[in-house]
Amino acid sequence: MKKEGVKLFVDGKRLDGRELDELRPIKMEVGVLKRADGSAYLEWGENKILAACYGPREVHPRHMEEADKAIVRVRYNMAPFSVPDRKRPGPDRRSQEISKVTKEALESVVLTHLYPKTVVDVFIEVLQANAGTRCAGITAASLAMADAGIPMRDLISSCAAGKIDGKVAVDMMGAEDNFGEADLPLAIAPQKKEVTLLQMDGNFTRKEFEEAFNMAMKGCLDVYEIQKQALLKKYEV
Amino acid sequence: MLGVIADIKKDYIKKLLEEGKRLDGRGLDDYREIEIRKNLYATAEGSAVVSLGGTQVAAGVKMILGEPYSDMPNRGVLTTSAELVPLASPTFESGPPRPPAIEIARVVDRGIRESGCIDTEKLCITEGEKVWIVFLDIHVLDYDGNLFDASTLACISALLNAKMPKVEDGKAIYGERSGSLPMADKPISTTYAKIGSAIAVDPYLEEEQVLDARLTITTTKKGEICAMQKGEGGGFTAEEVLNTIDRGIEKAKELRKLL
């Protein structure tokens, strides 16, 4: 959506006082749920997200089972009270698409061959949303999987960049997302900087895309450091 | 929705209860530790997360302007729903709400509605045309037993802490708040599990797995009963019902102080 009469910069700074390449404050904690095999709680700006991982466990329905590997299933869901206009409970088209690309982003690092005929279920619940919930959800989900002890060759870290008022910026918050001109969510396996999720909407020149891509990549690597700290913290004595 | 429990544990829980003891060390009238965190979610008009031992339930209040029911043209509308999302338990599955979720939403709804705790006449903007519609959404986050009491506590707490959007020229302005919801009571639900001959309050998951019958009693500030629900296949004697109600009314007084 193109902005009309909405100011997205005040005195050269973004609406929340950030620089173009600055992330919102991020807090992560793992092992927050009793019943789940692994779990994580994440606050990213005004986003509040819980993720849980169950498995590897038996596959229901059975026909989804794969003889030679585990499958990964993801359900991204928003609480009805997580957005300004109450969201009707249950999956809509947006949630289903996010679930699908999130699954594909996470699956790539799981050593699925170790657990044939099983499923790793990942659940993401958005409790308060303010732009960037898919990146926050993927980041939390990857932590929940690590917390559950799912064998993985890397974590998955995610961050978006976009264009606001003609300028490329990282990690857009609500107003910037609504009135910005482009959005590029990215997820990577940080060790090899391998891209496992990439979406884009809006309008970038070739040059702007590269700038935004690099900014999102750097954001992912910053997120990765916070993820590692959150996991280490659980085992601190 | 309960999952399995080993027979040997089942027997042990029952045996202990015969002696008036519980596996987690509580007395028959003790709740697990309760923590209420208020207004964590700014996107809701009001919200609360209640931990009851290992159980965690979030509740959110959302309000929109809409049409009243034709038989109650001067009253606001309350709509309660519950989601047992699969994040909360290995035994919950995704999909449309199933009977357990519907039962929780309806029992919580009855307690709130019948206690008259929301003065719905004050939610009327224009009679017959425009009233507040209050959505009360229960989102279970971690299931370790007794969702009824955790959900009611979370809902009442969310309602008590909700701030109504301002109304100007018949339109809601969500950025500005015009004060609290008109709340007249604080209904509290207390749930008891009958296991063998013992009746214990606030069953945790393993007790729910072995219980014969369940009784939920919701009471008002005055100590009057506003909703009840008996659940599962076993039965209560008349004496047990009356006795449990007395215990519930007393217990509710304690819980109400937490709000």
Side-chain angles (χ1 to χ4, degrees), chain A:
Chain A
M1 205 191 305
K2 196 120 177 116
K3 55 136 204 157
E4 258 154 50
V6 181
K7 279 186 89 163
L8 294 174
F9 287 95
V10 181
D11 299 332
K13 297 246 179 163
R14 293 160 72 177
L15 292 178
D16 52 1
R18 283 185 291 154
E19 301 293 339
L20 288 172
D21 61 351
E22 191 179 342
L23 296 179
R24 290 174 284 182
I26 302 176
K27 254 171 46 188
M28 304 180 192
E29 192 183 346
V30 299
V32 294
L33 297 177
K34 179 173 179 179
R35 298 301 306 283
D37 297 321
S39 58
Y41 176 69
L42 180 144
E43 287 185 12
W44 183 327
E46 297 296 312
N47 291 306
K48 296 183 177 176
I49 289 173
L50 256 181
C53 175
Y54 289 88
R57 63 180 177 182
E58 233 177 275
V59 187
H60 294 291
R62 276 288 285 281
H63 68 81
M64 289 180 77
E65 191 177 283
E66 300 262 359
D68 56 344
K69 61 177 173 102
I71 59 167
V72 176
R73 274 193 306 216
V74 172
R75 180 180 189 259
Y76 166 100
N77 185 47
M78 296 183 99
F81 49 80
S82 64
V83 277
D85 295 328
R86 177 181 183 261
K87 187 201 166 291
R88 260 190 62 182
D92 52 11
R93 288 163 60 90
R94 175 180 170 277
S95 301
Q96 292 188 49
E97 189 208 339
I98 293 179
S99 298
K100 180 176 183 292
V101 293
T102 301
K103 169 202 132 94
E104 289 156 358
L106 295 169
E107 191 176 39
S108 59
V109 292
V110 179
L111 304 179
T112 52
H113 66 278
L114 295 177
Y115 299 97
K117 297 183 182 176
T118 65
V119 57
V120 174
D121 274 315
V122 178
F123 302 112
I124 299 165
E125 291 292 330
V126 179
L127 301 170
Q128 181 179 303
N130 185 287
T133 58
R134 84 191 61 194
C135 294
I138 290 169
T139 301
S142 174
L143 276 181
M145 291 165 82
D147 183 43
I150 303 295
M152 299 190 286
R153 58 182 173 83
D154 204 347
L155 286 172
I156 296 292
S157 312
S158 183
C159 184
K163 185 161 78 170
I164 44 179
D165 234 350
K167 292 191 184 95
V168 173
V170 79
D171 185 26
M172 291 173 301
M173 42 89 112
E176 296 173 337
D177 193 39
N178 289 339
F179 301 107
E181 292 123 78
D183 184 16
L184 170 71
L186 191 72
I188 61 165
Q191 292 189 44
K192 290 184 180 165
K193 295 191 188 174
E194 186 186 353
V195 174
T196 67
L197 173 137
L198 189 157
Q199 296 182 292
M200 194 226 127
D201 61 51
N203 181 276
F204 276 135
T205 63
R206 166 70 177 74
K207 189 167 161 280
E208 282 168 345
F209 173 83
E210 191 170 338
E211 199 184 333
F213 182 83
N214 289 335
M215 231 180 217
M217 177 68 84
K218 185 174 173 301
C220 289
L221 293 171
D222 290 343
V223 166
Y224 177 52
E225 291 306 316
I226 308 173
Q227 281 176 302
K228 284 194 290 187
Q229 289 309 315
L231 284 169
L232 284 171
K233 198 163 173 233
K234 187 184 170 186
Y235 300 101
E236 260 175 21
V237 203

Side-chain angles (χ1 to χ4, degrees), chain B residues 26 29-36 38 50-52 146 148-154 156-157 160 186-192 201-202 217-219 221 247-259:
Chain B
R26 283 185 290 157
D29 281 301
D30 293 341
Y31 266 81
R32 291 168 288 173
E33 198 182 323
I34 300 173
E35 191 195 349
I36 305 174
K38 294 161 193 165
V50 166
S51 330
L52 183 54
N146 197 7
F148 288 97
D149 296 352
S151 299
T152 301
L153 265 181
I156 295 298
S157 184
L160 286 170
K186 295 174 182 177
I188 293 285
S189 89
T190 51
T191 295
Y192 290 81
V201 80
D202 181 31
I217 303 141
T218 308
T219 54
K221 256 194 308 209
R247 286 165 67 187
I249 291 172
E250 278 312 302
K251 203 71 208 170
K253 290 180 189 163
E254 274 174 46
L255 297 192
R256 199 167 284 115
K257 289 183 193 148
L258 300 171
L259 288 167

Side-chain angles (χ1 to χ4, degrees), chain B residues 16 26 73 78 82 124 134 142 147 192 199-200 208 246:
Chain B
L16 277 176
R26 283 185 290 157
L78 172 71
C124 178
V134 179
D142 212 352
L147 293 177
Y192 290 81
I199 296 175
E208 285 197 351
D246 291 340

